[in-house]
Amino acid sequence: MSSTCSTVSRALDEPVAGTAATARTWLLLEQPGPWGAKALTSSHLDPALGRALEAAAKGTGVRIALIRRPGRHADSRMPATRRVYVAHTVPGNVWLHSATTTDPARLLGLDYPALGRGEATCVAMVLGGEPHDGDPLALVCTNGKRDRCCALLGRPLAAELASSGVEGVWEVTHLGGHRFSPTVLVLPYGYAYGRAEAHAVKEVLHGAREGRIVTEGCRGGSAWERPGQAAELAVRRAVREEAAQVLSVVRTEGEAPRWQVTVAHVDGRRWRVAVAQGASLPPRPESCGSVLGSPARMDVVDVRELTPAVMAG
């Protein structure tokens, strides 16, 4: 096989921290069948509905993606009932609700600004949704129309996980970062992983069931912008903190290419993390078929715990 964006990125040992898609809330709709590059408007979902959903979610902190079960995805037998998941990923208010619907247009009745703020009431009111009581979700990006690496590497991973009995595995349309394929998003906590392998995903899911965050291979938590993702992971590693929902990004000062990020622990501790945006060198393709470029990377320069006197000042 010719070189792909993911083989080049792996060979260059490009860091994955601070590269996750940003979304406070994820809305997932089951849609079997083929997906185009922009799946909401280029799948067997009504494209007019897809455009309306995109417009409804724009600027709200909600990201909409399509999901399907692993395996063959011809949709000659379109399910009468589709699964819907909604997850809020901001620590302190993490939740995952599930619902079913026979009419995807009902999703237009959701209050998207409220969902972005972490209010789940409309999921029950509009869709009859309830808190998800099953295993965490493992969403594997498999959309080969976005990048062939997602299909070549993502689909076998999803199939392997499903065939080995892992619950909650779905194929998903787009998680960004093709060159880190296979990429996986784990809900409810919203942490993304790159260059994923089945045994590693199983450990991540085991941790999520126990309320732990595995940092190995982690791209970051989607609740934060990319400097915050890198900073929060750096603090986790520095103090060996595994517990979910105990760290939050409470302030980000500065602008590219340098930020000062304040990360807070629920026990009162705080850290100031210096994050610098650098260019990945030598140039490499950001996706298969693209021209060579130098994608931005988030480098943590310093992690410093703040003393009570500094915090008071």
Side-chain angles (χ1 to χ4, degrees):
M1 185 176 70
S2 62
S3 181
T4 63
C5 66
S6 60
T7 59
V8 173
S9 176
R10 189 185 292 265
L12 294 173
D13 198 24
E14 184 178 352
V16 302
T19 67
T22 300
R24 295 190 300 273
T25 303
W26 290 85
L27 172 59
L28 310 170
L29 169 65
E30 183 177 5
Q31 175 59 56
W35 297 332
K38 295 185 177 180
L40 275 180
T41 53
S42 55
S43 69
H44 288 186
L45 183 71
D46 178 357
L49 173 58
R51 286 190 292 272
L53 289 170
E54 286 179 336
K58 186 176 181 179
T60 65
V62 178
R63 183 172 176 131
I64 303 174
L66 303 181
I67 57 175
R68 66 191 176 200
R69 291 294 187 184
R72 294 179 61 85
H73 54 258
D75 61 351
S76 56
R77 296 192 182 102
M78 179 69 72
T81 302
R82 304 173 191 227
R83 177 67 60 179
V84 179
Y85 293 103
V86 188
H88 189 63
T89 64
V90 177
N93 185 32
V94 167
W95 49 260
L96 172 60
H97 288 212
S98 65
T100 57
T101 185
T102 57
D103 180 9
R106 293 182 64 189
L107 272 62
L108 292 174
L110 294 169
D111 184 337
Y112 285 87
L115 290 177
R117 295 191 298 268
E119 301 168 17
T121 306
C122 67
V123 181
M125 292 178 60
V126 175
L127 300 175
E130 297 180 344
H132 175 67
D133 59 3
D135 286 335
L137 304 185
L139 308 169
V140 183
C141 184
T142 63
N143 191 350
K145 294 297 185 181
R146 293 291 302 224
D147 192 283
R148 61 176 172 152
C149 286
C150 298
L152 291 172
L153 301 174
R155 297 202 70 210
L157 174 62
E160 181 180 354
L161 289 169
S163 65
S164 64
V166 176
E167 299 291 337
V169 179
W170 294 85
E171 297 186 7
V172 69
T173 46
H174 182 51
L175 296 177
H178 319 296
R179 64 192 184 280
F180 304 122
S181 295
T183 60
V184 181
L185 175 71
V186 175
L187 295 176
Y189 299 115
Y191 285 79
Y193 294 82
R195 304 187 186 119
E197 298 179 2
H199 67 89
V201 175
K202 291 176 183 178
E203 173 57 30
V204 169
L205 292 172
H206 179 68
R209 283 193 293 271
E210 296 181 340
R212 294 185 294 107
I213 304 302
V214 173
T215 60
E216 183 69 26
C218 190
R219 299 175 61 194
S222 74
W224 318 121
E225 298 293 334
R226 292 183 175 181
Q229 294 174 11
E232 192 254 10
L233 283 176
V235 171
R236 282 192 175 277
R237 290 166 176 153
V239 302
R240 298 182 179 180
E241 179 60 80
E242 292 185 328
Q245 298 203 71
V246 298
L247 292 176
S248 294
V249 175
V250 296
R251 183 180 301 115
T252 300
E253 301 170 293
E255 57 187 28
R258 196 171 182 92
W259 300 266
Q260 293 287 335
V261 181
T262 304
V263 178
H265 196 289
V266 292
D267 65 10
R269 287 179 292 167
R270 291 196 172 204
W271 295 264
R272 185 162 293 155
V273 184
V275 180
Q277 178 177 298
S280 297
L281 296 172
R284 77 286 310 272
E286 291 195 47
S287 60
C288 290
S290 69
V291 298
L292 296 182
S294 299
R297 52 183 284 172
M298 295 294 154
D299 294 316
V300 171
V301 179
D302 184 53
V303 179
R304 185 171 305 174
E305 185 170 356
L306 300 178
T307 64
V310 171
M311 288 190 287

